[in-house]
Amino acid sequence: MNSNIQIEVFPASEGDAFLLSFDETHILIDVGVYNTYHNFVKARIESLAKDLGKIDLMVVTHIDQDHIEGAIELITENGSSTEPSLIQIDQVWHNSYRHLQFSKEDQLKEAEKEILREIISNGKKHIKQTSNESQEISAKQGSSLASLLLAGRYSWNSSFQGEAINLDSFDNVSFPNFSLRLLSPDTSKLERLFKKWEKELLKKKYNFTFSKDKIFDDAFEFGLLMGSSTEEKESHKQISREKIQWDVLLSEDDEKNDKSPTNGSSIAFIIEAQKKKMLFLGDAHQDIVIKQLENIKEESEDRIYFDLVKISHHGSSNNTNTKLLNLIDCPKFIISTDGSKHGHPDLSTLAKIIQNSRGNEIKIYCNYLTQNSKIVEDLIEKNNNNCTIVYPSEDGVLKIEV
């Protein structure tokens, strides 16, 4: 089936940034880090706007820095939704503090506000330290994405009546020429994120008043950004080179699970357009994805066919196991990472994707040449696997036709 669907995978360091385009529809999924936006995404959307294009939907899957930092820059520079400086954005999907499942009081005490200001300040310092930019430039990030969306009066989660992007509220959302089936998060995943936030606050003060005050959005996002990249550090261990063999990779522990509450809150969905079906998993946990795919599979005895799958959490073995892969049949996979923080993509994930193809020809699209992608390329050649790893052209942007 012919289509004109194109996916642009931008260099996003260890993060994600995708532009999905077909007909006159454009969907932006995450915006990576500071450099991703300023070096790649900004010029692309300026070109799009010059051709009278717009962003029909912008999805910020979750609040980890490598997904949200570029989005903060974009909305900061775009300004108001009614008079955008760069491009029209019809709707934004993004879960922040105000969307978590709990009741809120209306009044904050000044002492509590001071604690929140300290959290915000420390979060900004963290961004300055982890971004490869000067403090002067990074200081532009004065508000969270949530505060910027409110101030700019963007259509925010309007497909969910302004409430959380939550599987328990709606699982199917239709747009004029595409539809989305939500796979993650659900209420339990969002509650886990709130409990993490509550725990952070209780370190500072007992019985904190939860308020609708704008300062909470800033404190929530900047505060959780500080810890979002540390939870997986010990779970990804390099396999010694003498053990890098196909059977060893395939036999690696398949029961590991990502325990990060921020990743668990990640928005994951199936998008259908032009009779094509694509799976975008953000950094979602595999348990909720497997459950939803099993529900879909009840309608058919065969594996679920996707024209393209964006693998969860940059190819981490904690988010993609054999059980998940056995549910799907797909010729094209995307893995977005430079491998700089956790050594992603994991070798076992790559091997299991290839093994799951059952000898059918597949392509794995990587937006960076990493140590592990190169190792698996060598193994593919050695084992005559019917797989090709595809890298970006000289401009650094990976373009995929679906």
Side-chain angles (χ1 to χ4, degrees):
M1 178 66 66
N2 293 328
S3 75
N4 64 346
I5 298 175
Q6 177 179 267
I7 299 172
E8 294 168 76
V9 185
F10 300 102
S13 187
E14 74 279 7
D16 282 359
F18 312 104
L19 181 65
L20 175 61
S21 302
F22 50 92
D23 295 331
E24 296 180 356
T25 298
H26 304 279
I27 303 169
L28 185 62
I29 305 171
D30 291 327
V31 197
V33 294
Y34 180 99
N35 285 338
T36 309
Y37 169 70
H38 285 284
N39 295 343
F40 297 96
V41 176
K42 182 177 181 178
R44 180 66 181 93
I45 64 173
E46 285 177 332
S47 173
L48 187 61
K50 187 176 180 181
D51 293 333
L52 303 181
K54 63 176 182 175
I55 301 297
D56 295 84
L57 176 64
M58 174 177 168
V59 181
V60 182
T61 59
H62 61 300
I63 62 171
D64 278 358
Q65 185 173 345
D66 54 337
H67 297 254
I68 197 174
E69 186 174 84
I72 292 174
E73 290 294 314
L74 167 55
I75 300 300
T76 297
E77 294 200 345
N78 205 42
S80 167
S81 65
T82 55
E83 297 182 3
S85 299
L86 298 172
I87 195 166
Q88 178 183 337
I89 301 174
D90 283 353
Q91 185 178 167
V92 179
W93 283 14
H94 168 59
N95 286 336
S96 184
Y97 155 79
R98 64 188 55 243
H99 300 111
L100 301 185
Q101 310 299 310
F102 56 86
S103 61
K104 308 179 186 75
E105 301 295 334
D106 289 326
Q107 297 297 321
L108 272 176
K109 299 173 184 176
E110 185 57 37
E112 293 174 326
K113 287 186 178 181
E114 190 57 39
I115 293 170
L116 294 175
R117 292 188 192 105
E118 180 184 354
I119 291 172
I120 294 167
S121 176
N122 290 336
K124 290 177 183 177
K125 289 176 183 176
H126 170 80
I127 290 176
K128 292 174 186 178
Q129 291 167 356
T130 54
S131 298
N132 295 321
E133 301 298 330
S134 69
Q135 290 196 6
E136 181 180 356
I137 294 174
S138 294
K140 287 167 56 180
Q141 294 176 326
S143 295
S144 67
L145 180 58
S147 291
L148 293 167
L149 293 173
L150 281 175
R153 298 183 179 276
Y154 285 83
S155 176
W156 182 12
N157 290 7
S158 55
S159 292
F160 292 75
Q161 283 76 57
E163 300 299 325
I165 308 297
N166 186 342
L167 180 61
D168 295 330
S169 300
F170 301 93
D171 59 1
N172 285 286
V173 181
S174 294
F175 291 82
N177 58 343
F178 67 96
S179 64
L180 295 174
R181 179 163 181 164
L182 198 64
L183 302 180
S184 171
D186 61 9
T187 302
S188 65
K189 298 293 185 183
L190 293 173
E191 285 179 339
R192 282 196 65 218
L193 182 60
F194 170 65
K195 288 177 182 177
K196 175 180 171 63
W197 169 232
E198 184 179 44
K199 183 178 179 181
E200 292 297 317
L201 290 180
L202 291 177
K203 291 179 182 178
K204 296 286 184 179
K205 184 179 186 294
Y206 185 67
N207 284 339
F208 208 103
T209 301
F210 293 105
S211 167
K212 297 177 182 178
D213 196 302
K214 167 183 171 292
I215 195 174
F216 252 101
D217 281 316
D218 289 344
F220 169 78
E221 291 184 14
F222 282 118
L224 291 185
L225 279 174
M226 287 189 289
S228 63
S229 63
T230 62
E231 296 175 272
E232 293 253 347
K233 282 187 177 178
E234 295 183 3
S235 62
H236 295 281
K237 298 177 181 178
Q238 291 291 333
I239 303 173
S240 61
R241 295 195 69 86
E242 62 269 16
K243 288 187 177 182
I244 299 177
Q245 299 174 10
W246 205 251
D247 58 344
V248 174
L249 296 178
L250 293 173
S251 65
E252 185 177 311
D253 183 9
D254 222 17
E255 301 301 320
K256 297 184 297 183
N257 288 292
D258 183 353
K259 294 181 173 57
S260 162
T262 52
N263 287 348
S265 72
S266 185
I267 299 170
F269 53 86
I270 298 168
I271 179 168
E272 293 192 52
Q274 297 192 348
K275 299 185 179 180
K276 299 287 185 177
K277 189 158 61 174
M278 295 155 282
L279 179 60
F280 282 85
L281 293 176
D283 283 3
H285 287 172
Q286 60 191 2
D287 61 342
I288 189 170
V289 173
I290 289 170
K291 180 180 178 181
Q292 297 309 312
L293 291 181
E294 286 178 336
N295 290 339
I296 296 171
K297 190 175 180 296
E298 288 180 0
E299 305 166 8
S300 170
E301 294 182 0
D302 298 327
R303 296 193 294 172
I304 307 165
Y305 182 82
F306 293 102
D307 295 280
L308 177 139
V309 173
K310 184 270 167 184
I311 291 292
S312 178
H313 198 198
H314 323 294
S316 168
S317 59
N318 289 351
N319 299 71
T320 304
N321 63 11
T322 302
K323 184 176 182 180
L324 190 157
L325 291 171
N326 281 341
L327 289 167
I328 66 178
D329 180 16
C330 181
K332 297 180 180 180
F333 297 85
I334 298 175
I335 295 178
S336 176
T337 183
D338 64 357
S340 60
K341 284 198 173 180
H342 304 299
H344 293 150
D346 286 337
L347 290 167
S348 61
T349 302
L350 292 169
K352 289 172 184 177
I353 290 171
I354 295 166
Q355 184 72 13
N356 184 69
S357 70
R358 303 178 184 179
N360 296 324
E361 182 179 359
I362 67 168
K363 292 182 179 180
I364 300 176
Y365 293 86
C366 297
N367 58 344
Y368 293 89
L369 172 64
T370 66
Q371 178 182 357
N372 283 357
S373 70
K374 179 58 180 172
I375 289 172
V376 168
E377 274 191 300
D378 294 340
L379 288 173
I380 290 170
E381 184 176 354
K382 179 180 178 181
N383 291 281
N384 295 314
N385 298 108
N386 199 9
C387 173
T388 304
I389 297 184
V390 182
Y391 299 103
S393 57
E394 291 183 1
D395 65 359
V397 179
L398 190 58
K399 297 180 177 67
I400 305 169
E401 301 290 335
V402 182

